[in-house]
Amino acid sequence: EYKADDGRTGKLYVDGDKIKFTYDGKTITFNPDAEPDTFKINYFPFKGLAIFTRDKNGKIKDVKAEMAGYIINAKKIA
């Protein structure tokens, strides 16, 4: 579970080679990009990029998403 800097929370999970994020009843799919821990976002009508940061154990600790001129930072809370 992750909490964004705007206070919203959501769940991040793996589905095949994609990562999905659900919040407020919506699901955003992150498709793999050429760079490790970088994913393209296609959430009609928006497109963007999500970059994951890992801790020393290799677990994702936060994500920064840039989409339609907005930047969302979310940190792992559970």
Side-chain angles (χ1 to χ4, degrees):
E1 191 168 0
Y2 290 77
K3 185 174 185 178
D5 47 11
D6 66 0
R8 288 191 269 181
T9 61
K11 295 190 184 231
L12 191 68
Y13 61 96
V14 177
D15 184 15
D17 67 341
K18 297 173 174 60
I19 292 179
K20 294 190 176 183
F21 184 72
T22 58
Y23 75 99
D24 294 341
K26 300 173 184 118
T27 300
I28 298 174
T29 301
F30 301 152
N31 298 296
D33 196 17
E35 297 293 321
D37 293 332
T38 302
F39 289 77
K40 294 178 183 175
I41 301 169
N42 281 321
Y43 184 67
F44 184 80
F46 307 113
K47 292 187 181 208
L49 198 64
I51 300 169
F52 295 92
T53 305
R54 296 179 183 269
D55 64 17
K56 64 182 178 181
N57 298 318
K59 302 284 184 182
I60 295 173
K61 66 177 185 171
D62 58 42
V63 60
K64 176 181 181 181
E66 298 179 16
M67 186 170 54
Y70 295 99
I71 296 175
I72 300 166
N73 294 296
K75 295 193 181 295
K76 187 171 185 172
I77 58 172

